[in-house]
Amino acid sequence: MRRCYSKFTAYHLGFKNSNFLLFGSGSVTRTIATTSERSFSNYAAQVDQSQTKDNPVSDMLIDSFGRLHTYLRISLTERCNLRCQYCMPSEGVELTPNSDLLSQSEIVRLAGLFVSAGVNKIRLTGGEPTVRKDIEEICMQLSSLKGLKNLAITTNGITLARKLPKLQECGLDSLNISLDTLVPAKFEFLTRRKGHDRVMKSIDTAIELGYDPVKVNCVVMRGLNDDEICDFVELTRDKPINVRFIEFMPFDGNVWNVKKLVPYAEVMDKVVSCYGKQVKGFPSIKRMQDHPTETAKNFTIDGHCGSVSFITSMTEHFCAGCNRLRLLADGNFKVCLFGPSEVSLRDPLRSGADDEALREIIGAAVKRKKAAHAGMLDIAKTANRPMIHIGG
């Protein structure tokens, strides 16, 4: 058995100065850490101390609430080799012509602007980013940007096992692999394609290459895969896997329904029912100390090599600590995943805009970012793009 040690400091029941609630669920009594809400002013003060000290940050990345945006997600393509039900409408989507997508040089130039202003993490998304033929060259150039600390990718894993060794050589630091079921037949139903065995192979390949943790994203949907929650947690027992349970989110064409949503509290109930046994007065599930900009609630389980996380966008949003921006494959810039507002960077770039003009456009968009996204029922009514157009 491979021995693993957490890279993070784990607290028995969560953050310092947290409030705790004890309550029962059937025969299971569990302890949940509820963290007091962070004010925007407190968050901004934390950022000033922890992030601006070693890296000069342009005002371009700071919004009107004092949030510093150091994380850029870049969608490389709208194309995908799966047809996941929560991501793409059953009839498919109209793809942007290749000539209207950002070229490799345009991606690198825009990324360079963000990194020079203070962005220190870039995540490549899609569509499926590995279907882009020049992904290795893109990784090589992005990883060479001075000031970038982490280059990551979110992928469905279908072709990753074959491509990952080279991508690692090109500077890929970390990865998330999307997998919503451990049952091959159900995988084919959810994705409308075959390939479950290839995704599992990609997870193992990533572990063999030393990625730690290997993050596995699982969108939980009632009646589809909510019966597999404990099976997913079991993946973390002997391998450095971080299973991330994601609440089902509404996007154009994915037939979102609140009845399909399995809220964080319910998923946690199921995890606790399987792994929540108390040892010497302490629960075996322990909340980790999360960074203020962390999107997930992270937990360790006694005796497990990996960890478990919950992304609670619908029931407990984390907008106060948001540090993320999005550059779409067609060159549109989006400051909020759930907001319909977008501004094109491709058009001024191709019209000859210099770096300063582009920075002004970016900064103005960041300043317009709202304090928080709408509630889930309002989001469901708001026109937005399908997830495959936005980038996962």
Side-chain angles (χ1 to χ4, degrees):
M1 179 187 301
R2 178 177 177 176
R3 299 183 65 187
C4 298
Y5 299 89
S6 174
K7 297 180 179 179
F8 304 94
T9 301
Y11 284 65
H12 281 299
L13 292 174
F15 292 113
K16 295 178 180 179
N17 303 321
S18 293
N19 301 314
F20 302 99
L21 300 176
L22 289 171
F23 56 96
S25 176
S27 61
V28 179
T29 300
R30 63 189 177 100
T31 307
I32 294 294
T34 58
T35 308
S36 58
E37 293 186 4
R38 300 183 298 273
S39 69
F40 285 102
S41 59
N42 287 343
Y43 168 73
Q46 286 176 307
V47 165
D48 288 341
Q49 295 173 12
S50 65
Q51 296 192 31
T52 63
K53 181 167 56 177
D54 299 321
N55 189 15
V57 178
S58 167
D59 182 65
M60 177 184 95
L61 299 178
I62 301 175
D63 67 15
S64 60
F65 301 95
R67 292 173 296 194
L68 170 64
H69 298 78
T70 58
Y71 182 1
L72 177 65
R73 303 174 69 99
I74 301 177
S75 176
L76 297 183
T77 179
E78 296 173 352
R79 297 183 181 277
C80 188
N81 42 16
L82 296 180
R83 297 292 183 270
C84 298
Q85 295 188 25
Y86 58 80
C87 184
M88 183 185 291
S90 58
E91 67 274 14
V93 296
E94 184 176 351
L95 297 175
T96 302
N98 286 338
S99 60
D100 291 335
L101 299 178
L102 291 178
S103 66
Q104 179 184 144
S105 61
E106 289 171 333
I107 290 171
V108 174
R109 180 182 171 190
L110 290 173
L113 284 178
F114 282 96
V115 173
S116 65
V119 162
N120 56 39
K121 179 176 181 178
I122 290 177
R123 178 174 297 278
L124 304 177
T125 69
E128 170 50 39
T130 61
V131 305
R132 182 152 173 159
K133 294 180 179 179
D134 58 354
I135 186 172
E136 294 172 358
E137 291 80 4
I138 290 174
C139 284
M140 181 72 77
Q141 293 191 55
L142 293 179
S143 66
S144 300
L145 293 174
K146 184 179 180 180
L148 187 70
K149 296 179 180 178
N150 184 274
L151 179 62
I153 193 171
T154 295
T155 169
N156 61 31
I158 291 293
T159 65
L160 185 66
R162 174 170 51 87
K163 296 184 177 183
L164 188 54
K166 183 62 176 178
L167 290 174
Q168 188 178 48
E169 290 179 13
C170 292
L172 186 68
D173 298 304
S174 57
L175 49 82
N176 291 45
I177 299 175
S178 299
L179 178 65
D180 302 313
T181 178
L182 299 174
V183 181
K186 194 185 295 186
F187 177 91
E188 187 173 347
F189 170 75
L190 288 170
T191 67
R192 307 183 181 106
R193 296 290 187 274
K194 297 182 183 295
H196 182 270
D197 57 331
R198 284 181 279 172
V199 180
M200 298 304 294
K201 182 179 180 181
S202 291
I203 293 173
D204 289 336
T205 298
I207 293 171
E208 291 167 3
L209 289 173
Y211 286 95
D212 182 2
V214 174
K215 296 182 178 182
V216 175
N217 293 348
C218 175
V219 178
V220 183
M221 295 163 283
R222 192 177 306 282
L224 290 174
N225 61 352
D226 55 329
D227 59 335
E228 298 184 61
I229 290 170
C230 291
D231 295 332
F232 269 96
V233 176
E234 195 61 24
L235 293 177
T236 71
R237 184 179 294 277
D238 299 320
K239 298 179 179 180
I241 292 175
N242 169 227
V243 170
R244 301 163 68 81
F245 294 113
I246 303 173
E247 290 181 334
F248 184 37
M249 297 175 279
F251 294 98
D252 278 13
N254 71 351
V255 197
W256 185 87
N257 186 308
V258 70
K259 294 180 180 179
K260 295 181 182 178
L261 171 69
V262 183
Y264 155 58
E266 185 176 333
V267 179
M268 174 59 93
D269 268 335
K270 292 190 177 185
V271 174
V272 170
S273 70
C274 296
Y275 300 97
K277 182 180 178 181
Q278 297 226 352
V279 179
K280 295 182 180 180
F282 293 106
S284 62
I285 301 175
K286 302 179 181 69
R287 179 73 183 265
M288 298 163 69
Q289 186 179 26
D290 301 324
H291 189 275
T293 62
E294 177 62 71
T295 60
K297 296 173 174 63
N298 300 295
F299 293 80
T300 60
I301 299 176
D302 283 351
H304 283 229
C305 178
S307 57
V308 178
S309 302
F310 304 85
I311 298 177
T312 62
S313 305
M314 296 294 95
T315 60
E316 296 182 24
H317 72 71
F318 31 82
C319 299
C322 184
N323 69 335
R324 290 163 298 284
L325 302 170
R326 292 172 180 267
L327 179 61
L328 279 55
D330 64 0
N332 274 15
F333 178 53
K334 196 174 180 72
V335 297
C336 177
L337 172 62
F338 299 110
S341 178
E342 299 177 7
V343 60
S344 178
L345 298 181
R346 179 201 64 202
D347 293 347
L349 179 65
R350 294 184 178 180
S351 297
D354 61 15
D355 288 354
E356 186 56 36
L358 291 170
R359 289 190 186 98
E360 289 181 6
I361 295 170
I362 294 168
V366 172
K367 293 294 186 291
R368 291 193 296 269
K369 185 169 181 173
K370 296 182 178 179
H373 63 66
M376 58 184 172
L377 297 179
D378 290 327
I379 292 173
K381 299 174 185 176
T382 302
N384 200 355
R385 296 216 230 179
M387 190 62 176
I388 196 166
H389 276 172
I390 298 173

